[in-house]
Amino acid sequence: MLWLRALFFASPLAMVLGAVWLFDRVTELQLSDDSEALIYAIEEPIGYLNPLVPQTGITREVTDLLFEPLLVRDDDLNLRPNLIDSWTSRTLITIRCASEEAAGEAESKLRSGEYLDEDMVVLDVTREENVLMIVLDGFDSTLETRLVGNFDPENLGDYRLIRLKVTNSVRNSLEAFLSASVEKSQIAMLEYEDDRTANMFVRGDIDLFLRELNLYYESNASLDPRIEEVGEISHTSYREMLMTLRSDVNWHDGTRFTVDDLIFSYNELTRPNSPFGFAGSFWFVEELKKVDPYRLRIACGDTPATMMESWEKLPVIPKHLMSGGIENADWIEFFRKPIGNGPYRIERRRRDGGIELAANEMYFRGPPLQSEVIYRQIGSLESVLLALRADRIDAIVPDMRFTDWSERNPGVMRELRCLPRYQHFVAWNLDRPPLDQRGVRIAMAQAVDLDVVRRDTATGFQTPTTSLFFPGMPYVGDPMQLPTHDPRSADRDLEESGFAMDETKGVRVSEDGVPLKFTLTINEESEEHLRMAEALTEQWASIGVTVVVEPMSWSRILTEKLVTRDFDAVMLEWEIPFERDRLATWHSTSIGAGGGNFCGLRNQVVDETLEQLRYEEDLDAVKVLTGRLNGGIGGLQPCFFVCDSGRVLSLRRDGIEVVRPVKNGEPVVQPIGVGKAGLQNVRPWWVRKRIVQPSEENSPPDQP
Amino acid sequence: MTRICFRYLALALVRWSGVLISLVLLVEFSFCVVGGSNRHVWGFDVYQSIPLELSVQPISWWELIAERSGATLLALAIAYGGALLFGYAWGILAGRFRRFRAASIFSLPFSLFSCVPGFWFVVLVAIHSYVVWKRPGFANELVVESGPNLLAWWNAAVVALPAMAVATAWQLRSVAGAIENEASRPFVKGLYLTGYSEDAIFYNNILQRALPGIVSLLDRTLPLVLGSFIFLEWAFHYDGVGSLLVESVRLGFYPGIVVSGMWMATLATAVTMGRQVVAKLLQPVQ
């Protein structure tokens, strides 16, 4: 049995051999897969990549790489086509002429240009008996009245227009009425605008007809009928927008992006009770109609100048994956690993909480030159530093320890400051004393030395608030002038507002002996807001104001405080949008349920400015209006603006550059920077420097 | 046989309960008496969701225990399996060549290795990983998403190796010692004098008579290995039961402390019970 003994005694050697083999194989791993990848060290796991809800930090950055917006901002912050390739606006005017001959004469004069003003561009004219249908380019609100005014009055029909509006199926109910009506002969022409509106052009004595119509619809109150006698009028008009989508955009699973996706996203995000709150941005849209897979007709009830800004905000999601019996759990699962249409697609979620992205080969502007991006969580600073020295990390979301190391070792990293996109403020409830008094609010602002409150951290920086609008926007006029730190003036303002200092207690009290006191609600999950609240409370206490800080969860703040406006003061943070339309935030009609005017600001000048801002086309006039709004809000102080904040990233010095694809040309290589439009405009084009080689340069995708 | 099993099972249960009571008292004393916490280990509210520090992904209790147990069992299989393999095979060989002081020679590399402080081993692994892979080599640095998870074996081996070295040296010397003890008996001399060959004396007499004693050494290194895993797993960032215990202590997370502590106690008690049953069965009938 010598062999058995030999085998037994030699068996440990098998383990040694196994260990050697394992060592050899593992050595071969060597991260060969990601040697060309751009590697991003992150601090926290990446959450749900949901473009429908506000996001911050790395999760937002990755979401922006996965989903493409309908419109984009160029480097000068002007709105440019993206998924929406082009759009035209048209005004359709239907004119009822006195007779067929009059219509023929009017048509010939129209075609010869006799009836047209200089700025009128006719796209189409059609005639059907005595009705002329004219399509004009543009949305000018005076177009129809000017055009009809140019007509020979004898050619126009003398009709009275009665407009009927019901909640739905106007055709069915009206036909039922007409089948039994005895006065229907008064109707000369009938036109259905849409499913809810009918225009009846009547002639002669209409009193009996109106009485009959009213009686009929009074018995059908469920339709919520509204009968309007518009007056003597021979024309109707209708405004619509034609939108053309790019036909070369694919979702990451290869499915073509079409109008169906846009309509589905619009309907899902703007439907009643939608949790996403986009409905308020599309108040001017009446109906969306698919013309073909890449063209869309939008019926517009109104034509504000800010329409395209609303479309810019609308995220699009794939209809083929999200429609039809999809449960909430499916939505959550979808946003864990979403199918988007942006320059990058998800390769896999890493078990360390990171994510691996691969360049979208089907991306309509051409795939990004950087073929792989890895976001990974690395356990310790030591690991980060070793990986950095081995050129295995290109970008880092720094922590304090890394920032300290970086300062001690200059030349290795480069700090990249993104734009200050987030605004932090304390919203006052203007319907509650004592903050209903402007003097008290001004004093509260004057009492605080914001230089003490603001601070820079490893991952973010804070700057003074200077405007309500996105920094650098071409439409922004004068900045917002906010009260400066002046404790003496604060004392004086509070005295004038009736709050004297009770020296024995160190607090201010009103003439009735009520102390100047309020509750400041803050989001308990925001460490920065907790810190800010502490600093503010301390400074307000120094002028005798007692502040009770009430931390609570964001969901409770939303449902129990903001929606019901049951608060004294609440500290909020919002992302400064690109758009200029702020009616939903500051207009007096936005106070209350569903509105965004949580402060309850009611000011005629602000209201008028907001309304004008929505419709004004001229850039210079817009600048005046934005300056006026900045001034109005700064002066009224419905909020106490604490600061604007932005992200800080650490990049390997000279490790990354921006390689932008250019239509029919060589890609443009630029040094890394943020630009006016922020990080999201350049982030897709980040490339590790060493892999940019002439032979690898991409073929000529285009540029917005 | 059944009677023996039940007797040792009852003994194991007593031991297990003793550990549980000790652990609960220890936690209560440390956190509530010394630490001043008002949360008690028996409170239902402490057994809620798993802190993010223990798992970056949302995970259930069972998933956490299964994941951590799998990792520790893999490392344990290498460390404890290696200690038994080397300890028994080379311990018996050392007993066979006892006159050449084979036990000291065979156990020397393991003893030397086990004298190397864990810190230096960690540093060596890190330096090697940096030089060869251009990246740090701690166990949580890379995730193999497809194919055989060699990296998991490598990570487990890195954690297991120091524990295995200590346990092997001890096991080898113990086995060799048990055999040498048996070999020092007078009957061995008698067999020599009657003309038996060394092989025949060793394998047919000494080894057979020493077998119950050798088997009784089967579980002796397990508590040592499990104990060393507590700090080795934590030092190597290895997501096992040992690191769960340390992280739970750091976080003051009672469920993690109780579950990981009792997981180790259950394993050690079960192996001891198995060893007792086998040793009892191997004992010559009087």
Side-chain angles (χ1 to χ4, degrees):
Chain A
M1 299 292 276
L2 185 66
W3 66 270
L4 189 61
R5 286 175 208 157
L7 195 68
F8 179 64
F9 295 134
S11 60
L13 296 176
M15 196 170 180
V16 174
L17 289 175
V20 170
W21 175 82
L22 180 65
F23 188 86
D24 185 50
R25 292 298 307 272
V26 172
T27 308
E28 285 173 12
L29 287 176
Q30 290 201 35
L31 286 180
S32 54
D33 287 340
D34 60 7
S35 58
E36 294 301 314
L38 191 150
I39 299 178
Y40 215 127
I42 56 176
E43 279 289 297
E44 292 174 350
I46 291 172
Y48 289 103
L49 301 162
N50 183 353
L52 312 182
V53 295
Q55 292 176 321
T56 56
I58 287 292
T59 302
R60 164 70 183 270
E61 183 181 317
V62 176
T63 306
D64 285 343
L65 292 175
L66 299 176
F67 288 93
E68 195 69 9
L70 289 171
L71 299 158
V72 290
R73 296 280 168 172
D74 64 14
D75 288 343
D76 295 320
L77 292 169
N78 295 309
L79 208 52
R80 292 282 178 258
N82 197 41
L83 297 183
I84 296 175
D85 195 30
S86 61
W87 60 90
T88 54
S89 49
R90 317 192 307 181
T91 304
L92 286 77
I93 304 171
T94 307
I95 299 175
R96 279 91 191 158
C97 296
S99 63
E100 201 169 337
E101 292 74 27
E105 186 189 333
E107 184 189 3
S108 60
K109 287 187 175 178
L110 263 174
R111 290 188 185 281
S112 67
E114 198 174 322
Y115 284 170
L116 299 176
D117 291 343
E118 275 184 8
D119 61 335
M120 291 179 185
V121 178
V122 177
L123 301 174
D124 191 25
V125 179
T126 52
R127 179 166 63 88
E128 234 174 72
E129 296 178 346
N130 64 332
V131 180
L132 271 178
M133 280 161 285
I134 305 144
V135 182
L136 294 178
D137 185 35
F139 269 163
D140 188 339
S141 57
T142 61
L143 271 179
E144 59 198 75
T145 47
R146 283 192 286 134
L147 182 70
V148 175
N150 292 342
F151 269 57
D152 186 349
E154 288 179 1
N155 284 343
L156 297 172
D158 57 336
Y159 301 105
R160 294 178 74 79
L161 172 60
I162 295 170
R163 183 168 289 148
L164 167 68
K165 285 193 176 187
V166 293
T167 50
N168 57 55
S169 308
V170 68
R171 186 185 290 267
N172 291 347
S173 65
L174 192 58
E175 281 178 2
F177 163 73
L178 293 175
S179 63
S181 169
V182 292
E183 299 292 336
K184 64 185 173 190
S185 58
Q186 305 291 355
I187 300 176
M189 273 182 288
L190 176 62
E191 173 197 270
Y192 294 100
E193 241 179 59
D194 53 38
D195 189 41
R196 292 170 296 177
T197 312
N199 292 320
M200 289 169 275
F201 292 88
V202 293
R203 267 179 171 158
D205 185 6
I206 61 166
D207 291 347
L208 286 173
F209 171 74
L210 268 177
R211 188 183 302 165
E212 193 179 25
L213 188 69
N214 278 318
L215 275 173
Y216 175 79
Y217 276 100
E218 275 169 16
S219 62
N220 288 285
S222 62
L223 289 171
D224 188 22
R226 275 167 291 165
I227 298 166
E228 180 189 6
E229 192 182 344
V230 180
E232 283 193 18
I233 197 164
S234 59
H235 72 277
T236 51
S237 65
Y238 173 78
R239 293 180 179 89
E240 67 175 22
M241 181 183 268
L242 271 177
M243 218 177 247
T244 306
L245 304 185
R246 291 187 71 115
S247 58
D248 55 355
V249 180
N250 289 308
W251 294 102
H252 294 156
D253 62 358
T255 309
R256 192 69 86 184
F257 167 74
T258 65
V259 158
D260 292 331
D261 297 307
L262 178 52
I263 294 177
F264 170 73
S265 305
Y266 172 83
N267 288 337
E268 196 59 42
L269 301 181
T270 61
R271 66 179 160 79
N273 303 322
S274 167
F276 302 113
F278 282 87
S281 301
F282 292 92
W283 54 274
F284 56 87
V285 173
E286 285 189 338
E287 194 181 18
L288 264 61
K289 268 186 187 167
K290 175 181 175 180
V291 178
D292 63 38
Y294 303 108
R295 285 197 302 159
L296 177 72
R297 179 173 285 130
I298 302 158
C300 301
D302 200 348
T303 54
T306 54
M307 274 192 297
M308 294 317 291
E309 289 182 353
S310 299
W311 289 105
E312 180 192 13
K313 289 194 298 185
L314 186 78
V316 281
I317 45 177
K319 183 192 175 191
H320 65 286
L321 296 175
M322 303 305 293
S323 61
I326 293 282
E327 303 289 331
N328 274 346
D330 298 315
W331 281 78
I332 291 168
E333 184 54 31
F334 174 78
F335 288 121
R336 212 183 80 76
K337 199 176 171 185
I339 300 290
N341 51 7
Y344 283 92
R345 62 183 167 76
I346 295 182
E347 190 75 6
R348 62 175 67 91
R349 282 248 183 198
R350 294 172 62 88
R351 288 172 61 192
D352 60 12
I355 203 164
E356 294 184 13
L357 305 179
N360 175 13
E361 296 298 326
M362 297 177 290
Y363 185 58
F364 63 97
R365 296 189 194 286
L369 199 56
Q370 181 62 51
S371 60
E372 193 176 6
V373 181
I374 297 175
Y375 290 85
R376 51 187 303 212
Q377 258 189 301
I378 295 182
S380 62
L381 176 65
E382 292 72 22
S383 306
V384 169
L385 297 182
L386 280 173
L388 194 62
R389 286 182 187 176
D391 287 351
R392 298 305 311 131
I393 292 183
D394 303 290
I396 296 168
V397 178
D399 61 5
M400 281 314 289
R401 284 182 69 204
F402 184 82
T403 306
D404 289 346
W405 177 88
S406 199
E407 284 169 2
R408 288 198 306 273
N409 296 271
V412 181
M413 302 302 290
R414 181 202 158 163
E415 188 183 75
L416 186 71
R417 289 188 165 219
C418 305
L419 292 178
R421 289 209 65 171
Y422 299 91
Q423 206 156 65
H424 306 260
F425 57 94
V426 176
W428 307 120
N429 187 342
L430 306 191
D431 291 335
R432 281 196 185 176
L435 296 159
D436 55 342
Q437 298 181 54
R438 180 172 169 271
V440 174
R441 299 197 300 270
I442 296 282
M444 299 301 288
Q446 286 171 332
V448 176
D449 181 3
L450 282 171
D451 290 337
V452 177
V453 179
R454 282 190 301 268
R455 66 157 190 181
D456 289 353
T457 62
T459 54
F461 65 95
Q462 293 173 348
T463 59
T465 299
T466 55
S467 177
L468 295 170
F469 301 96
F470 191 88
M473 272 293 179
Y475 60 69
V476 178
D478 295 335
M480 186 158 57
Q481 298 296 333
L482 295 169
T484 51
H485 178 224
D486 186 354
R488 287 188 178 179
S489 298
D491 283 333
R492 195 174 55 246
D493 283 344
L494 288 176
E495 296 282 349
E496 285 171 6
S497 300
F499 292 98
M501 186 65 125
D502 182 344
E503 298 294 347
T504 54
K505 293 179 184 169
V507 295
R508 286 188 180 272
V509 290
S510 67
E511 289 167 1
D512 306 331
V514 180
L516 179 52
K517 180 181 177 182
F518 64 88
T519 303
L520 173 62
T521 307
I522 58 167
N523 180 1
E524 65 187 5
E525 289 137 31
S526 170
E527 279 180 28
E528 203 50 28
H529 279 195
L530 285 165
R531 186 194 65 77
M532 284 178 187
E534 200 174 306
L536 292 176
T537 306
E538 204 172 289
Q539 297 200 44
W540 283 329
S542 69
I543 57 161
V545 180
T546 309
V547 181
V548 179
V549 178
E550 182 186 34
M552 60 168 61
S553 68
W554 173 242
S555 57
R556 281 189 62 205
I557 291 177
L558 202 61
T559 53
E560 295 174 20
K561 299 286 176 182
L562 294 180
V563 171
T564 54
R565 296 194 59 234
D566 182 17
F567 64 90
D568 294 335
V570 58
M571 188 175 281
L572 298 172
E573 172 188 0
W574 62 29
E575 184 180 349
I576 308 170
F578 286 127
E579 67 179 346
R580 68 178 201 234
D581 185 0
R582 301 301 167 84
L583 199 133
T585 314
W586 300 113
H587 199 274
S588 54
T589 55
S590 299
I591 302 171
N597 187 355
F598 302 121
C599 301
L601 178 68
R602 294 174 184 85
N603 183 274
Q604 197 180 345
V605 176
V606 170
D607 282 357
E608 284 171 7
T609 308
L610 289 164
E611 287 158 16
Q612 289 169 29
L613 202 50
R614 183 173 259 186
Y615 289 96
E616 185 56 61
E617 300 272 4
D618 180 60
L619 185 62
D620 291 331
V622 171
K623 278 185 179 177
V624 172
L625 291 169
T626 51
R628 192 186 301 161
L629 187 64
N630 268 336
I633 298 297
L636 291 165
Q637 284 287 298
C639 303
F640 171 59
F641 291 93
V642 180
C643 63
D644 294 352
S645 70
R647 290 170 64 204
V648 174
L649 295 174
S650 244
L651 308 182
R652 195 155 52 84
R653 187 170 287 274
D654 300 326
I656 300 175
E657 58 193 348
V658 177
V659 183
R660 277 178 186 273
V662 172
K663 194 172 186 177
N664 301 325
E666 293 287 308
V668 174
V669 181
Q670 298 169 327
I672 194 125
V674 171
K676 275 185 172 179
L679 187 66
Q680 74 273 20
N681 237 28
V682 291
R683 177 61 194 84
W685 318 119
W686 278 12
V687 177
R688 290 197 85 192
K689 228 174 186 178
R690 63 190 174 81
I691 64 167
V692 183
Q693 294 164 5
S695 58
E696 290 175 354
E697 279 176 1
N698 229 340
S699 58
D702 55 8
Q703 150 85 349
Chain B
M1 167 77 178
T2 313
R3 201 160 54 90
I4 292 169
C5 288
F6 272 110
R7 198 169 71 195
Y8 286 117
L9 181 64
L11 195 60
L13 278 174
V14 171
R15 282 195 191 118
W16 191 87
S17 307
V19 174
L20 179 62
I21 291 164
S22 307
L23 191 62
V24 168
L25 289 175
L26 190 64
V27 170
E28 278 294 306
F29 179 76
S30 309
F31 287 96
C32 300
V33 179
V34 179
S37 170
N38 56 1
R39 295 161 69 240
H40 296 283
V41 72
W42 51 78
F44 179 74
D45 58 320
V46 301
Y47 295 87
Q48 299 295 320
S49 58
I50 295 161
L52 271 178
E53 289 86 347
L54 294 180
S55 172
V56 289
Q57 306 284 5
I59 194 171
S60 72
W61 265 105
W62 287 116
E63 285 168 333
L64 178 74
I65 293 166
E67 194 177 281
R68 298 293 185 115
S69 302
T72 296
L73 284 174
L74 184 60
L76 191 66
I78 296 169
Y80 185 53
L84 292 183
L85 192 64
F86 277 98
Y88 276 102
W90 289 7
I92 292 170
L93 199 61
R96 171 67 184 82
F97 297 106
R98 57 195 176 281
R99 70 177 60 177
F100 303 110
R101 305 178 67 83
S104 301
I105 295 167
F106 287 161
S107 64
L108 187 65
F110 299 104
S111 301
L112 277 178
F113 187 84
S114 61
C115 287
V116 175
F119 170 76
W120 292 110
F121 184 71
V122 170
V123 171
L124 287 173
V125 170
I127 291 171
H128 172 83
S129 304
Y130 175 59
V131 171
V132 177
W133 299 342
K134 299 295 178 197
R135 57 187 296 280
F138 294 104
N140 64 346
E141 276 305 300
L142 182 66
V143 178
V144 175
E145 302 284 353
S146 58
N149 197 350
L150 289 178
L151 203 69
W153 279 87
W154 167 247
N155 292 339
V158 168
V159 172
L161 212 55
M164 191 187 97
V166 180
T168 300
W170 193 91
Q171 188 81 38
L172 199 154
R173 281 172 170 274
S174 302
V175 170
I179 292 170
E180 282 173 16
N181 191 36
E182 198 62 34
S184 63
R185 299 260 180 116
F187 77 91
V188 178
K189 202 171 182 180
L191 287 172
Y192 270 120
L193 292 174
T194 49
Y196 280 88
S197 70
E198 277 199 43
D199 265 8
I201 295 169
F202 183 78
Y203 291 111
N204 298 340
N205 295 277
I206 299 174
L207 192 59
Q208 281 185 13
R209 290 171 67 98
L211 203 57
I214 295 174
V215 169
S216 69
L217 300 171
L218 196 70
D219 63 329
R220 295 296 166 86
T221 53
L222 185 63
L224 174 77
V225 172
L226 285 174
S228 60
F229 273 9
I230 292 172
F231 68 87
L232 280 172
E233 285 185 356
W234 178 67
F236 282 88
H237 295 191
Y238 185 76
D239 287 338
V241 177
S243 61
L244 175 65
L245 179 61
V246 178
E247 287 157 14
S248 300
V249 170
R250 283 157 61 90
L251 294 169
F253 182 56
Y254 302 161
I257 300 171
V258 173
V259 166
S260 50
M262 292 318 295
W263 186 93
M264 290 184 175
T266 306
L267 195 68
T269 313
V271 172
T272 302
M273 190 190 86
R275 188 266 301 165
Q276 284 175 324
V277 171
V278 172
K280 184 74 182 172
L281 293 175
L282 284 175
Q283 227 171 36
V285 180
Q286 298 296 324

